[in-house]
Amino acid sequence: MGRSRRTIPEELLLLALDPATGTTAQPQSLDLGLAGAQLVELALAGRIAPDGDRIAVILPRPTGDPTLDTALELLRRRGSPVRAVHWIGGPRLGLRQTYLTHLERCGMVAAVENQMCGVLPTTRYQATDTAVSRQIRARLDTAIRTGTPPDARTAALAALAHAVGLGKHLYPGNEGRSSRSRLRDLIRHDPMGGLVAHAVMDVQNGVAGQVAAAAARRAQPSAAPRKAARTPAPAAMAVVGQSSQAPEQLRRRGVTRAAVHPSLSH
C-alpha cells in the first residue's frame, strides 16, 4: 500500500490521470508542472526557499525521497540561486515516467499494456488506490467550494493544477467555469506555489527563452570599437580645407568654384 500522504508531484500526477482512459491530461505542460511541484515539495521540506524570482538551496541535506533528492542535488551544484523559469524550462526527460513507475511500485496505479492501431506498443496507467485520489480531489473541492484559505500544500497543488491547464479536466464544461475561476484564485494563498505556478505559465508562453536570450546578450563582451575613418588624401584635405575660405580668397589663389563644389558645375 502507498503512504498516507503523497508528495505534491505525485498528487498532481494523480489528479491528471484520467480514470476512464488511463492517460494523463495536458501531458506537455504536466512535465513542467512536475518539475515545479518538486520545487514546492523541497520548499515545504525546508531545503530551498524563494529568493526573488530565484530558488536558493538553504539546507542541502537529503530528504529520503530519491527523486526529490536528485533535484535538490542538481540545484546545489548550481552554486548560486537559479531562476525558477530556467529550472522548470530545463530538460526533464522521463520525469513523468519516473513518477508513474514510482506510483506503480507503491500500488497506486497499475500499468496496462496495449497497442496503438494494433501495432505500436503503449502503456496506460489505471489508478488502483482510488481512495487517495478521492481525498486529493476532495481537498481541492473543499477549498473551491468554501473559499476558506487552504493549507500550503493544497494551495500549491491548486496553483500548479491551474498552471498546467488541469482546470478543464477537473471541472469541465460551462458548469465548471466558476470552479475553474476559483481554482485560479487559490494561487495567491501560497507564495512558493504562486512563484512556481507563474514560472510554469511563463515557460509555456516562451518567457524562459526570452530571459535566457537576454542574459546571454548581457554576458557577451561589448563589440570592438569601430576602426577610425581613413585619413583623407592630401589633395582632398586641401580642397576640404579651402572650402571654408571666402570665395574672393579662393579666386586669388586660382581655385575655381567648381573645384570646391563640383556639384555646382552641372
Side-chain angles (χ1 to χ4, degrees):
M1 294 298 292
R3 302 190 305 271
S4 59
R5 191 184 76 178
R6 315 308 310 180
T7 63
I8 293 179
E10 294 166 357
E11 290 185 334
L12 184 66
L13 186 51
L14 288 171
L15 280 178
L17 272 178
D18 189 320
T21 64
T23 59
T24 53
Q26 305 293 336
Q28 299 302 320
S29 56
L30 181 61
D31 291 341
L32 302 176
L34 290 173
Q38 287 185 314
L39 295 180
V40 176
E41 190 66 44
L42 287 171
L44 290 172
R47 299 313 195 264
I48 64 174
D51 181 7
D53 64 345
R54 297 174 184 266
I55 304 299
V57 175
I58 58 176
L59 182 63
R61 189 178 67 213
T63 65
D65 182 302
T67 310
L68 289 176
D69 289 341
T70 297
L72 179 61
E73 176 61 15
L74 290 174
L75 285 167
R76 186 193 66 79
R77 289 179 184 175
R78 295 292 184 95
S80 59
V82 58
R83 289 184 185 275
V85 290
H86 289 170
W87 173 260
I88 292 170
R92 295 290 178 272
L93 297 178
L95 187 58
R96 183 169 19 126
Q97 186 58 50
T98 297
Y99 274 106
L100 284 170
T101 302
H102 173 68
L103 290 175
E104 184 184 13
R105 287 198 303 266
C106 293
M108 298 293 301
V109 301
V112 179
E113 303 297 332
N114 207 333
Q115 288 184 330
M116 182 181 296
C117 301
V119 179
L120 299 176
T122 62
T123 303
R124 299 177 184 274
Y125 292 86
Q126 300 287 348
T128 54
D129 192 343
T130 56
V132 174
S133 297
R134 288 196 300 269
Q135 291 170 4
I136 296 169
R137 177 65 183 270
R139 282 164 43 211
L140 283 186
D141 291 345
T142 299
I144 287 173
R145 184 179 63 254
T146 63
T148 303
D151 61 275
R153 301 185 68 84
T154 302
L157 180 62
L160 287 163
H162 166 70
V164 303
L166 289 184
K168 291 184 178 180
H169 168 70
L170 299 171
Y171 307 103
N174 289 331
E175 64 275 15
R177 182 177 300 174
S178 60
S179 294
R180 293 195 299 270
S181 177
R182 288 193 287 271
L183 179 70
R184 179 194 63 221
D185 292 341
L186 291 176
I187 200 171
R188 69 180 187 274
H189 290 295
D190 178 60
M192 186 65 181
L195 168 66
V196 170
H198 281 112
V200 168
M201 291 185 284
D202 284 345
V203 172
Q204 294 180 80
N205 293 330
V207 173
Q210 298 170 15
V211 172
R217 287 195 298 270
R218 289 194 298 269
Q220 290 177 349
S222 57
R226 294 183 178 180
K227 293 182 178 180
R230 290 184 60 187
T231 303
M237 290 180 65
V239 174
V240 171
Q242 292 166 351
S243 63
S244 62
Q245 300 180 34
E248 182 62 29
Q249 293 175 318
L250 295 176
R251 282 195 294 273
R252 288 198 298 268
R253 296 179 57 180
V255 180
T256 65
R257 183 179 180 85
V260 179
H261 299 290
S263 60
L264 297 178
S265 62
H266 298 288

